[in-house]
Amino acid sequence: MEELNKKILLVEDDPNFGTVLKDYLMMNDYDVVHAKNGMEGFEKFKKDDFDLCILDVMMPYKDGFTLAKEIREKNKDVPIVFLTAKAMKEDVLKGYKVGADDYLNKPFDSEVLLMKIKAIMQRKATETISDSKQFEFKIGSFDLNSKLRFLRYKGGEPVKLSPKENELLRLLALHENDLMPRQLALTKIWRDDNYFTSRSMDVYIAKLRKYLKLDEKVEILNIHGEGFRLVVNN
Amino acid sequence: MEELNKKILLVEDDPNFGTVLKDYLMMNDYDVVHAKNGMEGFEKFKKDDFDLCILDVMMPYKDGFTLAKEIREKNKDVPIVFLTAKAMKEDVLKGYKVGADDYLNKPFDSEVLLMKIKAIMQRKATETISDSKQFEFKIGSFDLNSKLRFLRYKGGEPVKLSPKENELLRLLALHENDLMPRQLALTKIWRDDNYFTSRSMDVYIAKLRKYLKLDEKVEILNIHGEGFRLVVNN
DNA sequence: CTAGCTTTTAACCTTACATTAACAAAAATG
DNA sequence: CATTTTTGTTAATGTAAGGTTAAAAGCTAG
């Protein structure tokens, strides 16, 4: 049972409200990471890939706008929604300047928030990903197309990859000849790190090795206790 | 210096408010056509190409939602913003279902409206450049005329396509050889995304495959969990 | 109102996937 | 070198997604 829920970063200093909102979102099948202030929010943002950020504007130390700016520096695309208690015009305008996708005045209806989240996600999904470079890799005599999820050997018939196979091989390719730490794959792909996910990953390594056998110059080496290494000899 | 301003259709039955809003928008370099009710709004919409529609929800005879639906039938892409006096949850949800781009509660700040308009226009600008005006496609030995809704094999007798068949095939053709995400079709064509619409789409995929069987070089491949891919082999 | 088309829903079946189990082999540990 | 830990690999299992056809429900023009 594979769950690929959308991940939301919620930064809200009011613990009550924050917890309630978090629970509500999680009840609606979102993975939510809750940060209690701007600093923490930015730390958590850097550590993970989020599909959406919900930021409270009024927070001590680092307000939502400042945080948004920092987030924008790291990621120009992630949607940002602001929450604010007062409907100050200047705030709204400031928010849009920073690249907000939407704006909600507290108190707001939770269903409306859900709807907006959905709308925003759909919008993002619509924006066609044209930079194919990120998704194409040469691995020895193989071509990996990570968007279309296939692996082709010397221009022959492409083999279809499952989502997990694909992401794992992509991650290995991104670290070609270098160590790809277990942890990394587990957190990025499996979003969890326990005995079973780890074993699951080993199973996928075995599958990938089978595919890659066609080119004896390509292999996946294990670095005991550390992770794996995709090497291309020549 | 000849400017080609963005064109806005404003449908608002309150003459005072409507006029004020119209003037304000025109002061900000938009061309505004003001209709006093739903009927008139639709007439004017048909007569011209607009970049944005601003619709009051509460209008006699024909409310904003009904009008929006009619507009959507003619044009699936034009952004729609609703204005409403009361912030009724049901209304907001209904609005998003019809494909609203945004929602404003009266009284609202005019600068905020401007900001939203700008944001929406920008979004559409990046989104719909390539998609917009393409209605004829060659798909292997087929010709698809998406305006007249027919599909012809090797210059033979054209087959008529239903609206949904047509839009789906068009969307696939726009992404020929590339991934056409499920989400995209569901939001663009069905404007909703749930189990049933998804299944409905699968039914249409089956129908299209039947049509396309005539040319064995053309096929619709599934990418599990992602979407479909119209490929033309040679 | 209904004939004829379109779309959705239902049903049933197949395929694709991810996880878990089971057992074997390496590597580390001490 | 015996034992524990980690990894390699294959197979079994359960579930979700997709393929397909048919029936039901919606529409719309006469």
Side-chain angles (χ1 to χ4, degrees):
Chain A
M1 93 211 134
E2 171 62 8
E3 311 180 23
L4 253 176
N5 293 337
K6 297 289 184 183
K7 247 190 172 160
I8 295 180
L9 174 65
L10 170 64
V11 188
E12 164 67 64
D13 63 317
D14 177 341
N16 290 318
F17 182 66
T19 307
V20 169
L21 185 50
K22 176 183 176 180
D23 289 346
Y24 179 71
L25 290 171
M26 289 181 75
M27 264 170 44
N28 284 279
D29 293 326
Y30 291 103
D31 287 350
V32 182
V33 172
H34 180 196
K36 270 92 182 166
N37 61 62
M39 310 290 185
E40 195 191 331
F42 192 51
E43 289 312 310
K44 298 207 159 152
F45 178 81
K46 283 191 290 189
K47 281 212 183 62
D48 220 323
D49 284 331
F50 291 97
D51 299 291
L52 176 73
C53 300
I54 301 178
L55 313 182
D56 192 8
V57 171
M58 306 268 279
M59 289 185 299
Y61 305 120
K62 186 184 287 186
D63 69 279
F65 296 129
T66 314
L67 175 57
K69 253 182 232 156
E70 292 176 354
I71 287 178
R72 273 278 167 269
E73 271 168 39
K74 284 255 155 213
N75 184 326
K76 293 191 305 301
D77 297 316
V78 63
I80 296 178
V81 174
F82 286 112
L83 304 181
T84 182
K86 48 185 185 117
M88 296 245 318
K89 184 176 85 183
E90 298 76 36
D91 278 5
V92 177
L93 299 185
K94 201 166 162 192
Y96 276 108
K97 276 229 174 86
V98 188
D101 283 73
D102 216 323
Y103 219 95
L104 278 167
N105 292 318
K106 295 194 239 180
F108 51 82
D109 186 279
S110 50
E111 275 190 69
V112 171
L113 172 64
L114 266 196
M115 210 64 189
K116 293 209 171 202
I117 290 175
K118 227 178 173 187
I120 288 171
M121 300 275 194
Q122 286 182 348
R123 227 145 57 202
K124 291 288 164 181
T126 307
E127 286 169 21
T128 326
I129 315 108
S130 48
D131 50 333
S132 59
K133 295 298 164 222
Q134 275 277 113
F135 297 97
E136 292 174 19
F137 300 88
K138 277 203 93 61
I139 304 169
S141 308
F142 295 99
D143 291 313
L144 168 65
N145 187 319
S146 188
K147 183 176 171 197
L148 302 178
R149 284 206 337 238
F150 67 71
L151 180 68
R152 181 168 34 206
Y153 178 62
K154 287 189 172 164
E157 263 306 289
V159 178
K160 294 217 245 173
L161 299 180
S162 88
K164 289 265 146 80
E165 291 168 351
N166 177 54
E167 291 185 66
L168 186 55
L169 185 52
R170 174 162 174 275
L171 213 53
L172 286 163
L174 279 170
H175 296 250
E176 188 176 311
N177 284 320
D178 201 354
L179 170 68
M180 194 283 290
R182 269 194 111 80
Q183 280 277 0
L184 184 72
L186 291 175
T187 51
K188 281 238 173 198
I189 300 176
W190 276 265
R191 294 177 164 203
D192 187 16
D193 167 3
N194 61 47
Y195 172 76
F196 290 111
T197 53
S198 191
R199 278 344 308 283
S200 199
M201 172 171 164
D202 289 331
V203 171
Y204 279 96
I205 291 289
K207 290 183 187 192
L208 291 181
R209 282 185 174 133
K210 225 180 247 175
Y211 293 140
L212 297 174
K213 263 211 296 270
L214 285 173
D215 184 346
E216 79 289 338
K217 290 188 192 311
V218 177
E219 46 185 344
I220 298 175
L221 302 182
N222 173 251
I223 299 172
H224 200 90
E226 299 289 331
F228 295 92
R229 194 156 84 91
L230 175 67
V231 295
V232 180
N233 307 298
N234 46 357
Chain B
M1 170 114 63
E2 178 62 19
E3 298 259 357
L4 56 149
N5 295 332
K6 296 289 184 182
K7 254 193 168 153
I8 296 179
L9 174 64
L10 170 64
V11 188
E12 165 65 67
D13 64 317
D14 177 342
N16 291 317
F17 182 66
T19 307
V20 169
L21 186 50
K22 176 183 175 179
D23 290 346
Y24 177 72
L25 289 171
M26 290 180 74
M27 266 168 44
N28 284 279
D29 294 325
Y30 291 102
D31 287 351
V32 182
V33 172
H34 180 196
K36 271 90 181 167
N37 60 62
M39 310 292 185
E40 195 191 331
F42 192 51
E43 288 313 309
K44 297 205 159 152
F45 178 80
K46 281 191 291 189
K47 282 210 183 63
D48 220 325
D49 282 332
F50 292 96
D51 299 291
L52 176 74
C53 299
I54 301 178
L55 312 182
D56 191 10
V57 171
M58 304 270 279
M59 290 184 298
Y61 304 121
K62 185 184 288 187
D63 70 281
F65 296 128
T66 313
L67 175 57
K69 252 183 230 156
E70 292 176 354
I71 287 177
R72 274 277 168 267
E73 271 169 40
K74 285 262 156 208
N75 183 324
K76 287 187 303 300
D77 296 316
V78 64
I80 296 177
V81 173
F82 286 111
L83 304 181
T84 183
K86 48 187 183 111
M88 296 250 317
K89 185 176 84 185
E90 297 76 34
D91 279 4
V92 179
L93 300 185
K94 202 167 162 190
Y96 277 109
K97 268 249 167 74
V98 187
D101 283 73
D102 215 325
Y103 221 94
L104 279 167
N105 292 318
K106 296 195 241 179
F108 52 83
D109 186 278
S110 50
E111 276 190 70
V112 171
L113 173 63
L114 265 196
M115 209 66 187
K116 292 209 172 201
I117 290 176
K118 243 186 211 163
I120 288 171
M121 299 275 194
Q122 268 185 359
R123 227 144 56 201
K124 290 287 166 177
T126 53
E127 200 175 296
T128 345
I129 289 165
S130 51
D131 283 19
S132 294
K133 307 270 179 215
Q134 230 180 310
F135 294 102
E136 291 177 23
F137 301 88
K138 279 204 87 64
I139 306 169
S141 309
F142 295 98
D143 292 312
L144 168 65
N145 186 320
S146 189
K147 204 132 208 161
L148 304 175
R149 293 213 324 253
F150 68 70
L151 181 67
R152 180 168 39 203
Y153 178 62
K154 286 189 173 165
E157 263 306 288
V159 177
K160 301 187 81 179
L161 298 180
S162 87
K164 288 262 148 77
E165 291 169 349
N166 176 56
E167 292 182 57
L168 186 54
L169 185 52
R170 172 164 178 271
L171 214 51
L172 285 164
L174 277 169
H175 296 251
E176 188 177 310
N177 281 322
D178 201 356
L179 170 67
M180 194 283 289
R182 273 193 109 81
Q183 279 273 0
L184 184 73
L186 291 175
T187 54
K188 282 224 172 187
I189 300 176
W190 277 266
R191 297 202 165 275
D192 189 14
D193 165 4
N194 61 47
Y195 173 76
F196 290 111
T197 52
S198 191
R199 276 347 303 283
S200 197
M201 172 172 164
D202 290 332
V203 171
Y204 278 96
I205 290 289
K207 290 183 186 192
L208 291 181
R209 280 186 174 133
K210 231 176 243 174
Y211 292 139
L212 297 175
K213 262 213 294 268
L214 286 173
D215 183 346
E216 81 288 336
K217 289 189 191 313
V218 176
E219 47 185 342
I220 298 175
L221 302 182
N222 173 250
I223 299 176
H224 199 95
E226 297 288 332
F228 294 92
R229 190 156 85 98
L230 175 67
V231 296
V232 180
N233 307 298
N234 44 359

